[in-house]
Amino acid sequence: MKTPAESAGLSFGVRAQLASAAAWSPNPKNPPLYLDLPTKDGVAQPDVIAKWAANSPLAFVDQYVGSLRQYRAIAIDVGDQDGLRAGAKKLHDILDTYGIANSFEIYSGTHTSAVADRIQNHVMPFFSKSLCFTKSCR
């Protein structure tokens, strides 16, 4: 495994996998990155795979309906060429079924297309409109 400094030069896909592992399968006893990956020496690690599966929004959405209803806003966007498109649409449909307000947008491109534009022109305005920092809107 590479050190954190060496990881910066890795491809987006590898960095995304490392970020997922840091969030979903951290391991304080596994330096230098302190995480477990779904495979080790080419062998699947069922316990790690189970942790990752449990963190899928489609796996946990049903058990958090009450909490999701308390959100001020939920937005989902996905590229029309993104491998996550079907799952994102299914999550949107599940939220709709439960009557949980959400917005869903399919944009032109892949998972990483026009990231700067998406953040600047869609994500930040969404947060600006949806987040509240005063007592009057709670």
Side-chain angles (χ1 to χ4, degrees), residues 7-127:
S7 298
L10 298 173
S11 71
F12 173 81
V14 172
R15 286 183 292 145
Q17 184 179 45
L18 292 173
S20 298
W24 298 337
S25 53
N27 182 347
K29 294 182 179 182
N30 189 14
L33 299 179
Y34 302 97
L35 51 81
D36 291 329
L37 293 169
T39 61
K40 184 175 183 178
D41 300 322
V43 178
Q45 302 298 304
D47 57 331
V48 177
I49 292 169
K51 288 179 184 181
W52 285 42
N55 279 285
S56 163
L58 292 175
F60 66 66
V61 65
D62 296 308
Q63 60 189 312
Y64 294 112
V65 170
S67 296
L68 290 167
R69 284 195 170 114
Q70 295 178 28
Y71 280 33
R72 292 178 48 84
I74 297 173
I76 303 166
D77 72 351
V78 65
D80 60 0
Q81 299 167 42
D82 190 332
L84 301 175
R85 181 179 175 182
K89 173 72 167 99
K90 187 171 184 177
L91 178 60
H92 164 67
D93 292 342
I94 291 168
L95 293 173
D96 278 355
T97 298
Y98 280 117
I100 298 170
N102 70 96
S103 65
F104 178 71
E105 180 182 354
I106 298 174
Y107 59 86
S108 179
T110 66
H111 188 69
T112 58
S113 293
V115 171
D117 173 70
R118 301 284 321 150
I119 299 249
Q120 181 176 340
N121 297 313
H122 299 271
V123 175
M124 296 309 290
F126 170 80
F127 282 143

